[in-house]
Amino acid sequence: MGVLDPFKGFGVTFRTLLTKPVTIGYPEHRTPVYPRFRGRHRLWRFENGLEKCVGCSLCAAACPADCIRVVAEENTPGNRVSAGERYARIYEINMARCIFCGYCEVACPFDAITLEHSYELSEYTREALIYTKDVLLEPAPKQPPLHPNVPGDPSLVGDV
Amino acid sequence: MTPQETVVAMVIQGLIVVGVVFSAFAGLTVAERKLLGRFQARRGPNRAGPFGLLQPLADIGKLTFKEDFIPAGANRWLFRLAPMIPVIAAVAALSLIPFGGVHEWFGTTVTLYGTDLSVGVLVFLALSSLGAYGLILGGWASGNKYSLLGAARNAAQLVSYEVAMGLSIVGVVMISQSLSLVDIANDQAGGIWYILVQPIAFVVFMIAAIAETNRIPFDLGEAESELIAGYNLEYGSVKFAMFMTAEYLSLIIISAFGATLFLGGPDGPWLPGFIWLGLKISVLLFIFIWVRATLPRFRYDRLMKFGWKVLIPISTLNILVTAIVLGLGFAN
Amino acid sequence: MSDVAAQIEAASPGAVVLEWEDLGELTVEVRGDRIVEACRALRDGPSQYLLLSDITCADFPDEPGRFRMAYHLVNIATGARARLRAWAGASDPAVESVTSIWPGANWMEREVYDQFGVHFHGHPDLCRILNPLDWEGHPLRRDYPIGGEEVQFTDAV
Amino acid sequence: MTMGTAGPRSGNFPIAAESREAREAAARDGRALTPTERIIAGVEARTPEEAIERTLTNEMLADARPGVRQPMLINLGPNHPSTHGVLRLIVELDGEVVREVTPVIGYLHTGIEKQCENKTWWQGITLVTRMDYLAPFANIKAYTMSVERLLQMEVPARAQWIRVLLAEMNRLASHLVWLGTSGLELGAMSVFFYCYRERDEMLDLFEMVSGERMNHRYFQVGGCSDDLPPGFIERVRAFTEEMPARIDDYEALLTGNPIWKDRMVGIGVLPAEQLLALGVTGPTLRAAGVPYDLRKVAPYSGYQHFEFDVPTATEGDCYARYLVRVREMRESLRIIRQVLDGMPEGPVIADDRKVVLPPREELAYSMEALIHHFKLVSEGFTVPAGEAYVAIESPRGEMGCYAVSDGGPRPYRIHMRDPSFVNLQATAPLCKGGYLADLIAIVATLDPVMGGVDR
C-alpha cells in the first residue's frame, strides 16, 4: 500500500484508452465458432442421396426438451428414401424449445442428425421456428442417384 | 452604433454563442460516450453516421418521438416546469463567460462575451444553484419514491457543495480584486494563471464542479444502481432530453467557468482567444470523463462529510493563507 | 450405535428409530416430534455439527409416514456429515421447526412447506416462498401432475 | 398538493393483486398473515380501497399515530438494476436508513427439481446446469457426483482432473462476473467491462471444450463427454499467464481506492457464529474468519493433490468479502496451473456399459454396443435404490445435491442445495440499520444468483 494507491486506477483507465478496443462489430465482423459448437440442426444424406435417418426416434427419446417429433414409415421399393427399413416421414424440431444440448446428436447411432455451426436462428413467428424435414435436410444432390449395384445404368434410376 | 444596431448585434452574437455551445453539447455527448468506450476497452457508439458522429441526432430523434407522458401521481404543473429550469439557468449562465476580449472585426467592435457584470462570479454561482431546483422539483413532482429520494439527495448535495465551490473561488477573487469574470480573465492575460497561485483552490473547485454537475462519483441524485435514475426516473421524451441537455450544458459551462478563473480564460499565444478557451474547456471535460471512467460512487452520508469536513475547511484555510500572503504584500 | 445416535439418545432417550451407514453417509432416523432435541444435541454436543447445510423432504405416498424429512448437518472443522431423517405423517404432515436452533432453517422449511405442504410447528414465518402466495397444491408431491404446455409442431400427421 | 390525489385508477395492479392473494392464502389455511405476507400485502396501495385494506392488514401502518414517524416502504425489484436478477427486496426506509428488509423470491422458479423427477438421470444433467447459471460446472458436478455415489462408480483420473480444471475456471469466471457487477453497482463502470472482457475469454474456452458457452452438459455420469480438444491446454495456459496482471489492474482500480473502501469497509458485518447459524457458506463465511472450504475440509475429485490456500479474513465486512474473492481468483489460477502441468493421460469416462454410452466408433461394428446404446438412450440407466448427498464448493459456497433413487431409470427426488438460496437469508440481518446505498453493496458482495435461488 502506498500513497499513490488511490490514483493507480487512473493509470489503468488511461492505459486502456490507448489500447485497441476488444469489441467485435457483430454483423460485419464475426468470430469463428469452435468445432464443437452446437448450433442449428441438420439431417444428412449418404453420398448416393439416401437419407441417413431411419426414423428410429432415438433422438426424440433422448431430447430433454421433448422438442423432436419423428413419424416413421416403411420404405417401399417404389419410394426408397433412407438406407434402412424405415424412414422418417415427418421429422420436426421445435427450435423455440431446443436447448442445444446435442443429446440428439449423441443418441443417433447413424450420424443422421448433427448440430452445425450456424447460430442466427431468430424468426418473427413461432411457427417459423418449427423446423420441418425439408428445412433440416441437406439438399438432395443435383444428379439423381444411380443404382449402387449397376453403375451408370440410367434405366434403373428411381426403381431401387 | 445606434441602439438598434447594438440590439441586432447582440441578438446575432447571442445566437452564435448559443449555436456554438449547443453544437459543443452535441459533440460532448458523443465525445463522452466514445471516450468512455475507449476507457473501457470498447468502441462506443459507431452506428449512426461515420464513427457514430451523428449519434446526437439519433438521440434527439428518438427522444422527440417517444411518448410524452405524465405519471398519474405527479404534480402536473411542476412536473412540466421542472425540466425547463436547469436549461434556462444554464443558458443564462452562458452569457457571463468571456470567450475572448474585445475585437475589431469587419469594421465593428465585437465583444466576445454576453455581459460584463461587476458581480459576474456571484451571478454565475446563483444561476448554477438555480439549475438544481429543477432537479429537486422534478424529483418531488414525479410522485415516485425513488425520485423523491433522489431529489432529497440532490438538495443536500447542492447545499454542501455550493459552499465549497464558492469558497474555493474566493481566493481568486481576492487576488484579482474583482467579481467580474471579464476582469479576472484579463488579469491573467499575459501573466500568471491563477492555477499556479491557487492550486488547492483549483482542486477543490474541480471536485465541487463534479458534484455540482451530478456526475460520478457524485451522481447520488440519479445513482442508477440504487435509485434507478433518481429525480428523472419518471421523465421521458423531450422532458428527459431537457434534463440531459442541462446536465451537459452545465458541464461545459462550469468547465468554461473554471478555465476562466484558473486557466487564464482566452489567454494564450498565437491562436485566437476563443480557441484557447475551447482547448482549456476540452482539457477540463476530459478530466471529468476520465474521473467518471475510473471512480466508484460515493455514499450519501460520506459525500456530505467529505463536503463539510474536508473541502470546506481546506478552502477556508486556503482563503486564510491567501489573505495573509496578500496582506503581507507579496501579490504586487 | 454410532456417536451421533448415542448423543441423540443421551439428550432425548427413545428418539432414535434407526441408524445405518450407506455409501459413506451416516443416516439417523429420529421420531418426528424429537427432531429439535436431536438437532440441538448434535449442534451443542461433542460432534459439533454447527452448520445446518440443508433441509429437504421426499414424498413416499405408499409409506405410512409419507413425507420423509432429511436434515443434513456438517461439522465445519472436520467435514463430517450426518443426515437426520424423520417422517412427517401422511395426513396433516407436520414436524417441529428447527428455526430456534438455526435461524437459517427459516427459508429451507418454508421451501418444504411450499413444495410439500409439511407444516413446521413453531416456525415464525411459514408461508410460500418459491410459488406465488395463492398457489394451490404442493408441486413436489408425487401426486401433483407435472403439467406443462404441449410442444408445438406443425399440423402434419 | 399531496401525492395520490388522482383517485381510483383502473387497470390491473399486480401488487394489489398480490395483497389479495396473500389474504386469500391465509384465509384458506385459517391462519393469520405471516410477517412476510403482511409486508407483501402492505407494500403499495394503489387504490383508496386498497389503502383501507392495507391499513387493516398491515399492523405496522395501523399503528401509525400522528407524530409517529412512518417508514417509507420501497420496492426494490424484482426488476431493479442492482438486485442480481429478479430478487425483490421490500425495504422499510427511515430517511435513507434501512429499518427492515424482506426479500421476496420465486420469480425465476422453474420447478427444476420437479422436472428432474420426470426425466432420466442422463437428461437431468441438462436441467441442473441451468440453475446457477454463472456456475454451471458446479451444478453438474454436484449432480453427477451424487449419481456416481449412488452407483458407487469410479471416475477415471483424467476426468477428475478435467473436472477440477473446469470447475476452477468456472469459479474464476463467476467471480469475474461478481466483481464486474459489484463494481458497476457501486458506480465503478470500467471494472465491469474489464471483467467481462476476461470472462468472455473464459466463455470462449468453455465453448471450445463443451460446445456451449454457458449451459454445458460436458460432465457426464462417469466422467466427461469428450476429451479436451487439441490446443485447449495451451490456450488455458496462455490465459493463466496474462490473468494475474489483469487482476492487478482490477485491484489497482478498486482495492486502494478510498471511495471503494469507504463503501465497503465496516459495511454489512455479522459475526461468524451468526453467519453459521444462518447457514451462510462460501466466501461470505470465509470473510468472517471461518476457513470452511469443502475443497480443503472434505476434498473431492482429487483436490487433495493440489496446493492452494483458502483465503480468509476476519473482518466479515463487504471489503473482506471483496478481498477474499479476489484472492480466490488468484488461488484458482494456481490450481489451474497445477492441473495443466500434471494432467494425466487416460480415458475421460468410466468404462461401465450399464451406465456410460459405448464409444461411438463401436456402434459401427458391435451389435452389443448398439443394443447398449439403444437401451441407455431410450430408457436410461438404472440407479440402485438409496440416497446420497454430495456437497461441493461452488463459487458461492456449499452446493449440495441430494439424490434419492428408487432403483428406476428416473430420479425419485433431486434436491439441490443452492448456496445463493441459503446465503440470501443473511440480507436482512446484514442490512438492518445501514444506509440504502449499503444495501446495494451488501447484496452485491453476497453475490446471489437468482437462477440458483429460485431453481
Side-chain angles (χ1 to χ4, degrees), chain A residues 66-67 69 89-90 92 94 97 127, chain C residues 149-157:
Chain A
D66 298 328
C67 70
R69 178 169 76 158
R89 183 168 61 80
I90 296 175
E92 287 177 358
N94 187 335
R97 279 183 74 103
E127 286 69 34
Chain C
E149 238 173 75
E150 205 183 325
V151 185
Q152 213 184 352
F153 290 112
T154 60
D155 296 335
V157 178

PDB file of all heavy atoms in Angstrom, chain A residues 66-67 69 89-90 92 94 97 127, chain C residues 149-157:
ATOM      1  N   ASP A  66     -38.029 -32.420 -25.194  1.00  0.00           N
ATOM      2  CA  ASP A  66     -39.120 -33.036 -25.964  1.00  0.00           C
ATOM      3  C   ASP A  66     -39.475 -32.220 -27.187  1.00  0.00           C
ATOM      4  O   ASP A  66     -40.651 -32.023 -27.493  1.00  0.00           O
ATOM      5  CB  ASP A  66     -40.378 -33.202 -25.096  1.00  0.00           C
ATOM      6  CG  ASP A  66     -40.123 -34.122 -23.929  1.00  0.00           C
ATOM      7  OD1 ASP A  66     -39.310 -35.035 -24.097  1.00  0.00           O
ATOM      8  OD2 ASP A  66     -40.723 -33.918 -22.857  1.00  0.00           O
ATOM      9  N   CYS A  67     -38.477 -31.747 -27.883  1.00  0.00           N
ATOM     10  CA  CYS A  67     -38.790 -30.846 -28.987  1.00  0.00           C
ATOM     11  C   CYS A  67     -38.649 -31.512 -30.346  1.00  0.00           C
ATOM     12  O   CYS A  67     -38.703 -30.854 -31.364  1.00  0.00           O
ATOM     13  CB  CYS A  67     -37.925 -29.593 -28.907  1.00  0.00           C
ATOM     14  SG  CYS A  67     -36.221 -29.865 -29.267  1.00  0.00           S
ATOM     15  N   ARG A  69     -40.083 -34.390 -33.034  1.00  0.00           N
ATOM     16  CA  ARG A  69     -41.152 -35.335 -33.364  1.00  0.00           C
ATOM     17  C   ARG A  69     -40.742 -36.118 -34.603  1.00  0.00           C
ATOM     18  O   ARG A  69     -40.360 -35.525 -35.626  1.00  0.00           O
ATOM     19  CB  ARG A  69     -42.460 -34.605 -33.645  1.00  0.00           C
ATOM     20  CG  ARG A  69     -43.559 -35.601 -34.027  1.00  0.00           C
ATOM     21  CD  ARG A  69     -44.907 -34.967 -34.065  1.00  0.00           C
ATOM     22  NE  ARG A  69     -45.085 -34.161 -35.265  1.00  0.00           N
ATOM     23  CZ  ARG A  69     -46.287 -33.843 -35.750  1.00  0.00           C
ATOM     24  NH1 ARG A  69     -47.371 -34.237 -35.133  1.00  0.00           N
ATOM     25  NH2 ARG A  69     -46.389 -33.103 -36.817  1.00  0.00           N
ATOM     26  N   ARG A  89     -40.961 -40.073 -42.074  1.00  0.00           N
ATOM     27  CA  ARG A  89     -41.883 -39.358 -42.956  1.00  0.00           C
ATOM     28  C   ARG A  89     -42.016 -37.914 -42.455  1.00  0.00           C
ATOM     29  O   ARG A  89     -42.024 -36.962 -43.216  1.00  0.00           O
ATOM     30  CB  ARG A  89     -43.234 -40.043 -42.964  1.00  0.00           C
ATOM     31  CG  ARG A  89     -44.236 -39.386 -43.928  1.00  0.00           C
ATOM     32  CD  ARG A  89     -45.447 -40.269 -44.117  1.00  0.00           C
ATOM     33  NE  ARG A  89     -46.168 -40.511 -42.882  1.00  0.00           N
ATOM     34  CZ  ARG A  89     -47.039 -39.646 -42.334  1.00  0.00           C
ATOM     35  NH1 ARG A  89     -47.272 -38.497 -42.898  1.00  0.00           N
ATOM     36  NH2 ARG A  89     -47.657 -39.947 -41.213  1.00  0.00           N
ATOM     37  N   ILE A  90     -42.119 -37.772 -41.138  1.00  0.00           N
ATOM     38  CA  ILE A  90     -42.151 -36.433 -40.550  1.00  0.00           C
ATOM     39  C   ILE A  90     -40.970 -36.332 -39.602  1.00  0.00           C
ATOM     40  O   ILE A  90     -40.750 -37.219 -38.776  1.00  0.00           O
ATOM     41  CB  ILE A  90     -43.468 -36.206 -39.779  1.00  0.00           C
ATOM     42  CG1 ILE A  90     -44.646 -36.245 -40.747  1.00  0.00           C
ATOM     43  CG2 ILE A  90     -43.425 -34.889 -39.024  1.00  0.00           C
ATOM     44  CD1 ILE A  90     -45.966 -36.157 -40.062  1.00  0.00           C
ATOM     45  N   GLU A  92     -39.568 -33.227 -37.243  1.00  0.00           N
ATOM     46  CA  GLU A  92     -39.717 -31.817 -36.895  1.00  0.00           C
ATOM     47  C   GLU A  92     -38.990 -31.506 -35.594  1.00  0.00           C
ATOM     48  O   GLU A  92     -38.978 -32.307 -34.667  1.00  0.00           O
ATOM     49  CB  GLU A  92     -41.204 -31.467 -36.727  1.00  0.00           C
ATOM     50  CG  GLU A  92     -41.927 -31.413 -38.045  1.00  0.00           C
ATOM     51  CD  GLU A  92     -43.397 -31.144 -37.872  1.00  0.00           C
ATOM     52  OE1 GLU A  92     -43.872 -31.036 -36.728  1.00  0.00           O
ATOM     53  OE2 GLU A  92     -44.082 -31.052 -38.885  1.00  0.00           O
ATOM     54  N   ASN A  94     -38.861 -28.356 -32.806  1.00  0.00           N
ATOM     55  CA  ASN A  94     -39.346 -27.052 -32.365  1.00  0.00           C
ATOM     56  C   ASN A  94     -38.155 -26.277 -31.801  1.00  0.00           C
ATOM     57  O   ASN A  94     -37.741 -26.478 -30.662  1.00  0.00           O
ATOM     58  CB  ASN A  94     -40.424 -27.228 -31.306  1.00  0.00           C
ATOM     59  CG  ASN A  94     -41.069 -25.919 -30.934  1.00  0.00           C
ATOM     60  OD1 ASN A  94     -40.456 -24.872 -31.082  1.00  0.00           O
ATOM     61  ND2 ASN A  94     -42.286 -25.977 -30.449  1.00  0.00           N
ATOM     62  N   ARG A  97     -37.975 -24.493 -28.426  1.00  0.00           N
ATOM     63  CA  ARG A  97     -37.775 -25.238 -27.190  1.00  0.00           C
ATOM     64  C   ARG A  97     -36.397 -25.856 -27.094  1.00  0.00           C
ATOM     65  O   ARG A  97     -35.961 -26.237 -26.000  1.00  0.00           O
ATOM     66  CB  ARG A  97     -38.803 -26.359 -27.094  1.00  0.00           C
ATOM     67  CG  ARG A  97     -40.136 -25.920 -26.600  1.00  0.00           C
ATOM     68  CD  ARG A  97     -41.045 -27.110 -26.483  1.00  0.00           C
ATOM     69  NE  ARG A  97     -40.719 -27.933 -25.343  1.00  0.00           N
ATOM     70  CZ  ARG A  97     -41.408 -27.932 -24.214  1.00  0.00           C
ATOM     71  NH1 ARG A  97     -42.437 -27.160 -24.080  1.00  0.00           N
ATOM     72  NH2 ARG A  97     -41.065 -28.719 -23.217  1.00  0.00           N
ATOM     73  N   GLU A 127     -44.291 -20.189 -35.486  1.00  0.00           N
ATOM     74  CA  GLU A 127     -44.457 -21.251 -36.470  1.00  0.00           C
ATOM     75  C   GLU A 127     -43.176 -21.425 -37.272  1.00  0.00           C
ATOM     76  O   GLU A 127     -42.790 -22.540 -37.602  1.00  0.00           O
ATOM     77  CB  GLU A 127     -45.625 -20.928 -37.425  1.00  0.00           C
ATOM     78  CG  GLU A 127     -47.004 -21.085 -36.805  1.00  0.00           C
ATOM     79  CD  GLU A 127     -47.299 -20.030 -35.755  1.00  0.00           C
ATOM     80  OE1 GLU A 127     -46.824 -18.882 -35.918  1.00  0.00           O
ATOM     81  OE2 GLU A 127     -47.974 -20.350 -34.752  1.00  0.00           O
TER      82      GLU A 127
ATOM     83  N   GLU C 149     -46.895 -27.263 -21.004  1.00  0.00           N
ATOM     84  CA  GLU C 149     -47.509 -26.966 -22.286  1.00  0.00           C
ATOM     85  C   GLU C 149     -47.203 -28.070 -23.273  1.00  0.00           C
ATOM     86  O   GLU C 149     -46.112 -28.634 -23.248  1.00  0.00           O
ATOM     87  CB  GLU C 149     -46.906 -25.659 -22.818  1.00  0.00           C
ATOM     88  CG  GLU C 149     -47.912 -24.585 -23.073  1.00  0.00           C
ATOM     89  CD  GLU C 149     -47.195 -23.307 -23.435  1.00  0.00           C
ATOM     90  OE1 GLU C 149     -46.706 -23.223 -24.556  1.00  0.00           O
ATOM     91  OE2 GLU C 149     -47.106 -22.407 -22.570  1.00  0.00           O
ATOM     92  N   GLU C 150     -48.122 -28.321 -24.157  1.00  0.00           N
ATOM     93  CA  GLU C 150     -47.847 -29.300 -25.198  1.00  0.00           C
ATOM     94  C   GLU C 150     -46.855 -28.674 -26.179  1.00  0.00           C
ATOM     95  O   GLU C 150     -46.967 -27.496 -26.510  1.00  0.00           O
ATOM     96  CB  GLU C 150     -49.137 -29.654 -25.917  1.00  0.00           C
ATOM     97  CG  GLU C 150     -49.078 -31.020 -26.555  1.00  0.00           C
ATOM     98  CD  GLU C 150     -50.350 -31.298 -27.329  1.00  0.00           C
ATOM     99  OE1 GLU C 150     -51.423 -30.852 -26.882  1.00  0.00           O
ATOM    100  OE2 GLU C 150     -50.239 -31.939 -28.378  1.00  0.00           O
ATOM    101  N   VAL C 151     -45.908 -29.466 -26.622  1.00  0.00           N
ATOM    102  CA  VAL C 151     -44.914 -28.927 -27.546  1.00  0.00           C
ATOM    103  C   VAL C 151     -45.565 -28.730 -28.903  1.00  0.00           C
ATOM    104  O   VAL C 151     -46.258 -29.605 -29.411  1.00  0.00           O
ATOM    105  CB  VAL C 151     -43.711 -29.876 -27.668  1.00  0.00           C
ATOM    106  CG1 VAL C 151     -42.646 -29.248 -28.517  1.00  0.00           C
ATOM    107  CG2 VAL C 151     -43.181 -30.205 -26.299  1.00  0.00           C
ATOM    108  N   GLN C 152     -45.324 -27.551 -29.449  1.00  0.00           N
ATOM    109  CA  GLN C 152     -45.956 -27.187 -30.707  1.00  0.00           C
ATOM    110  C   GLN C 152     -45.206 -27.805 -31.892  1.00  0.00           C
ATOM    111  O   GLN C 152     -43.983 -27.690 -31.983  1.00  0.00           O
ATOM    112  CB  GLN C 152     -45.903 -25.661 -30.818  1.00  0.00           C
ATOM    113  CG  GLN C 152     -47.056 -25.048 -31.521  1.00  0.00           C
ATOM    114  CD  GLN C 152     -46.860 -23.556 -31.671  1.00  0.00           C
ATOM    115  OE1 GLN C 152     -45.927 -22.972 -31.114  1.00  0.00           O
ATOM    116  NE2 GLN C 152     -47.717 -22.945 -32.438  1.00  0.00           N
ATOM    117  N   PHE C 153     -45.922 -28.474 -32.755  1.00  0.00           N
ATOM    118  CA  PHE C 153     -45.353 -28.930 -34.024  1.00  0.00           C
ATOM    119  C   PHE C 153     -46.305 -28.528 -35.134  1.00  0.00           C
ATOM    120  O   PHE C 153     -47.386 -28.014 -34.871  1.00  0.00           O
ATOM    121  CB  PHE C 153     -45.158 -30.450 -34.008  1.00  0.00           C
ATOM    122  CG  PHE C 153     -44.063 -30.901 -33.098  1.00  0.00           C
ATOM    123  CD1 PHE C 153     -44.339 -31.614 -31.952  1.00  0.00           C
ATOM    124  CD2 PHE C 153     -42.740 -30.596 -33.372  1.00  0.00           C
ATOM    125  CE1 PHE C 153     -43.333 -32.026 -31.095  1.00  0.00           C
ATOM    126  CE2 PHE C 153     -41.727 -31.000 -32.520  1.00  0.00           C
ATOM    127  CZ  PHE C 153     -42.024 -31.707 -31.384  1.00  0.00           C
ATOM    128  N   THR C 154     -45.916 -28.767 -36.358  1.00  0.00           N
ATOM    129  CA  THR C 154     -46.853 -28.442 -37.441  1.00  0.00           C
ATOM    130  C   THR C 154     -48.008 -29.431 -37.391  1.00  0.00           C
ATOM    131  O   THR C 154     -47.965 -30.438 -36.695  1.00  0.00           O
ATOM    132  CB  THR C 154     -46.168 -28.539 -38.810  1.00  0.00           C
ATOM    133  OG1 THR C 154     -45.695 -29.868 -38.967  1.00  0.00           O
ATOM    134  CG2 THR C 154     -45.031 -27.570 -38.929  1.00  0.00           C
ATOM    135  N   ASP C 155     -49.035 -29.136 -38.183  1.00  0.00           N
ATOM    136  CA  ASP C 155     -50.225 -29.972 -38.121  1.00  0.00           C
ATOM    137  C   ASP C 155     -50.049 -31.311 -38.833  1.00  0.00           C
ATOM    138  O   ASP C 155     -50.875 -32.199 -38.686  1.00  0.00           O
ATOM    139  CB  ASP C 155     -51.413 -29.224 -38.752  1.00  0.00           C
ATOM    140  CG  ASP C 155     -51.738 -27.988 -37.944  1.00  0.00           C
ATOM    141  OD1 ASP C 155     -51.404 -28.000 -36.753  1.00  0.00           O
ATOM    142  OD2 ASP C 155     -52.296 -27.029 -38.504  1.00  0.00           O
ATOM    143  N   ALA C 156     -48.981 -31.428 -39.594  1.00  0.00           N
ATOM    144  CA  ALA C 156     -48.788 -32.649 -40.378  1.00  0.00           C
ATOM    145  C   ALA C 156     -48.777 -33.869 -39.470  1.00  0.00           C
ATOM    146  O   ALA C 156     -48.162 -33.868 -38.416  1.00  0.00           O
ATOM    147  CB  ALA C 156     -47.476 -32.551 -41.138  1.00  0.00           C
ATOM    148  N   VAL C 157     -49.498 -34.904 -39.868  1.00  0.00           N
ATOM    149  CA  VAL C 157     -49.528 -36.140 -39.073  1.00  0.00           C
ATOM    150  C   VAL C 157     -49.073 -37.293 -39.947  1.00  0.00           C
ATOM    151  O   VAL C 157     -49.428 -37.386 -41.093  1.00  0.00           O
ATOM    152  CB  VAL C 157     -50.955 -36.405 -38.539  1.00  0.00           C
ATOM    153  CG1 VAL C 157     -50.973 -37.698 -37.756  1.00  0.00           C
ATOM    154  CG2 VAL C 157     -51.378 -35.254 -37.667  1.00  0.00           C
TER     155      VAL C 157
END
